[in-house]
């Protein structure tokens, strides 16, 4: 080893170890020898920038033991530097990295280790800009994440405000309530795991979100309060209608009571609806009261129908007799026979309701046919009709005589054009005369 320079005072010479540690590896010793020496009394020096600095003292030990002790301290710090370099290169979270660098720099500055401390200090200083770059990247990522979280919170708040602004009368409360609960859970999830937004931004968004939820809850309570009031009002009104329906259910005044039930039904339709459950139960009671009345009426009518079956057979026979009168060939005989049929028809009594319209319509058809024949006969024998027909015949005959005279005059004068026109008019008049004569013959 070359002559050693004068030793500089140690900054913090460590005390001698209480017991000799295990020997360092040959590799460790070889790395350490160029940077230090051990005196006969066990003092260990490290060379820094050409000057020796006292590391500490290791008495009662061999040179290798002394060198190895302080070399391992250097390797411990060097290992920490290497680990920090790996973390920086891997882009690990930078929190406390600069503090770690400062701590290691402070350790190296104490010069109580044996090795290339200047190279180690250079490595530590080289880490600072890399860590700052990592911090800057983390801040940028943090800001991007914050902006994303702000946008997500903004979207939650905007949707909550939109739901709260809906018309309470048109809001689907079940779906809207479920969605508002989902938005609140999303808010809590962002608050728990997302990047902090900053106190002012967080408070401003929370205030809007809280206001939207409060408004929504206020509208919901008001809506359902009014709904309960309307439901109570509707129930009261329908309970009154049910009482009326039940009071009528035992009536045997079939026609009048059926009309009253129709009026009750109209009033029921005009009444507000209660809740579905209440409305269904109320309708069941109202319908039951009606059913009791109409079932009793049906039973009474069925009994009457059974009694009227015999009357139906009589009237079916009378219809057969009435149909036999058609077509009418002898009006007097037909009228006489029809009058007898009508008398017996009234005496036969009522028929079952299912057949009432049919038999009455069939009898009316025969009556109408006989009446039509009678009306036609009256028209033919009406003196006024006859007189009007005779007057028209006389007028038309006089007109024809004038047309014949005019035609003869035109022919004699050689006026062929006028003669042709008069011939056409005369032919039309003669056709009308023939028609009137046939009609007049029918009136006699």
């Amino acid at each position: 080893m070359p002559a050693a320079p004068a030793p500089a005072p140690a900054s913090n010479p460590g005390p001698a170890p209480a017991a000799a540690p295990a020997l360092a590896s040959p590799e460790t010793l070889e790395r350490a020898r160029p940077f230090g020496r051990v005196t006969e009394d066990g003092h260990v020096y490290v060379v820094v920038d050409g000057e020796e600095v006292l590391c500490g003292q290791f008495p009662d030990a061999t040179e290798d033991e002394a060198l190895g002790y302080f070399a391992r301290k250097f390797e411990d710090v060097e290992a920490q530097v290497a680990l920090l370099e790996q973390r920086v290169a891997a882009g690990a979270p930078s929190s406390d990295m600069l503090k770690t660098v400062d701590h290691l720099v402070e350790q190296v500055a104490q010069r109580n280790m044996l090795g290339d401390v200047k190279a180690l200090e250079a490595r530590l200083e080289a880490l600072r800009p890399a860590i700052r770059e990592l911090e800057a990247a983390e801040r940028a990522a943090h800001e991007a994440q914050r902006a994303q979280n702000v946008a997500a919170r903004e979207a939650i708040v905007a949707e909550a405000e939109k739901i709260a602004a809906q018309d309470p009368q048109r809001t689907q409360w079940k779906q809207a309530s479920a969605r508002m609960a989902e938005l609140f859970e999303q808010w809590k999830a962002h608050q728990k795991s997302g990047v902090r937004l900053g106190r002012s931004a967080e408070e401003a968004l929370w205030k809007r979100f809280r206001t939207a939820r409060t408004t929504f809850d206020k509208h919901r309570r008001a809506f359902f309060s009014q709904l309960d009031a309307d439901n109570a009002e509707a129930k009261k009104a329908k309970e009154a209608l049910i009482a009326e329906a039940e009071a009528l259910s035992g009536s045997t005044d079939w026609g009048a009571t059926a009309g009253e039930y129709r009026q009750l039904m109209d009033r029921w339709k005009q009444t507000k609806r209660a809740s579905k459950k209440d409305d269904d139960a109320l309708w069941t009671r109202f319908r039951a009261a009606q059913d009791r009345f109409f079932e009793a009426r049906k039973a009474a009518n069925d009994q009457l129908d059974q009694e009227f079956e015999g009357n139906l057979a009589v009237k079916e026979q009378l219809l057969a007799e009435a149909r036999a009168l058609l077509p009418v060939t002898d009006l007097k005989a037909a009228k006489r026979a029809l009058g007898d049929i009508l008398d017996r028809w009234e005496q036969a009594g009522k028929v079952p309701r299912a057949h009432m319209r049919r038999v009455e319509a069939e009898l009316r058809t025969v009556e109408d046919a006989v009446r039509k024949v009678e009306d036609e006969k009256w028209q033919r024998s009406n003196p006024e009709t006859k007189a009007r027909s005779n007057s028209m015949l006389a007028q038309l005959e006089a007109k024809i005589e004038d047309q014949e005279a005019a035609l003869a005059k035109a022919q004699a004068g050689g006026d062929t054009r006028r003669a042709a026109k008069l011939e056409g008019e005369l032919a039309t008049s003669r056709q009308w005369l023939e028609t009137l004569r046939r009609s007049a013959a029918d009136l006699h």
Side-chain angles (χ1 to χ4, degrees), residues 223-344:
F223 175 84
F224 283 103
S225 177
Q226 184 61 48
L227 192 65
D228 289 342
D230 292 344
N231 185 53
E233 181 184 349
K235 285 177 65 177
K236 183 178 179 180
K238 290 186 174 182
E239 288 280 3
L241 293 176
I242 290 170
E244 292 184 50
E246 290 174 341
L248 292 171
S249 62
S251 173
T252 56
D253 188 359
W254 310 120
T257 305
E260 291 186 55
Y261 271 118
R262 284 193 293 272
Q263 293 177 8
L264 284 176
M265 179 61 76
D266 291 338
R267 289 163 58 192
W268 182 278
K269 292 177 180 178
Q270 294 168 4
T271 304
K272 291 181 180 179
R273 287 184 61 84
S275 67
K276 179 171 175 31
K277 180 180 178 181
D278 290 337
D279 218 54
D280 289 346
L282 291 166
W283 170 250
T284 298
R285 291 173 55 197
F286 182 70
R287 187 68 181 177
Q290 290 187 91
D291 289 346
R292 284 195 294 274
F293 168 77
F294 286 107
E295 286 171 4
R297 186 183 71 168
K298 182 179 183 301
N301 288 335
D302 289 345
Q303 184 177 354
L304 288 176
D305 286 346
Q306 291 178 359
E307 297 174 4
F308 294 158
E309 284 293 337
N311 300 344
L312 177 61
V314 173
K315 288 195 172 182
E316 292 285 9
Q317 179 59 41
L318 291 175
L319 283 175
E321 294 182 31
R323 285 192 292 267
L325 299 176
L326 303 180
V328 177
T329 55
D330 185 340
L331 180 59
K332 290 183 179 180
K335 289 177 66 178
R336 185 168 54 253
L338 182 58
D340 179 62
I341 291 172
L342 291 175
D343 290 340
R344 286 184 288 156

Side-chain angles (χ1 to χ4, degrees), residues 67-107:
L67 287 174
Y69 173 74
F70 290 100
R72 281 196 297 270
K73 293 179 70 174
F74 176 86
E75 286 185 339
D76 288 342
V77 174
E78 187 181 40
Q80 294 181 58
V81 173
L83 178 61
L84 186 57
E85 289 172 334
Q86 292 173 5
R87 290 178 60 205
V88 172
S94 65
S95 59
D96 296 331
M97 280 187 177
L98 285 176
K99 287 184 180 180
T100 302
V101 169
D102 290 339
H103 175 69
L104 293 174
V105 167
E106 184 179 347
Q107 283 187 283

Side-chain angles (χ1 to χ4, degrees), residues 20-191:
L23 288 174
S25 68
E27 292 80 4
T28 300
L29 292 173
E30 286 303 316
R31 287 183 63 206
R33 289 185 195 281
F35 300 100
R37 70 183 180 88
V38 181
T39 63
E40 292 179 356
D41 57 359
H43 285 85
V44 179
Y45 294 89
V46 60
V47 178
V48 180
D49 289 334
E51 294 184 359
E52 285 188 343
V53 179
L54 178 61
C55 291
Q57 186 180 16
F58 200 139
D60 302 325
T62 66
E63 180 181 354
D64 286 351
E65 288 174 340
L67 287 174
Y69 173 74
F70 290 100
R72 281 196 297 270
K73 293 179 70 174
F74 176 86
E75 286 185 339
D76 288 342
V77 174
E78 187 181 40
Q80 294 181 58
V81 173
L83 178 61
L84 186 57
E85 289 172 334
Q86 292 173 5
R87 290 178 60 205
V88 172
S94 65
S95 59
D96 296 331
M97 280 187 177
L98 285 176
K99 287 184 180 180
T100 302
V101 169
D102 290 339
H103 175 69
L104 293 174
V105 167
E106 184 179 347
Q107 283 187 283
V108 175
Q110 290 176 3
R111 303 298 192 242
N112 57 358
M113 60 189 69
L114 188 58
D116 191 351
V117 293
K118 295 300 292 184
L120 195 57
E121 286 176 337
R123 288 170 65 184
L124 284 169
E125 291 304 318
L127 282 171
R128 292 184 188 278
I131 292 172
R132 291 191 182 97
E133 289 181 6
L134 189 59
E135 287 178 336
E138 287 178 355
R139 283 194 298 272
H142 178 85
E143 286 303 315
Q145 184 64 44
R146 180 181 177 279
Q148 183 178 350
N149 282 8
V150 168
R153 298 277 191 97
E154 283 278 5
I156 292 172
V157 172
E159 186 174 353
E161 290 173 336
K162 182 178 180 181
I163 293 173
Q166 290 178 346
D167 182 353
Q169 300 302 319
R170 296 184 179 181
T171 299
Q172 299 293 327
W173 289 106
K174 183 177 181 180
Q175 294 89 331
S177 298
R179 183 54 184 160
M180 193 65 87
E182 289 174 0
L183 291 175
F184 186 50
E185 291 302 319
Q186 290 178 19
W187 178 277
K188 290 193 294 184
H190 277 285
Q191 196 173 39

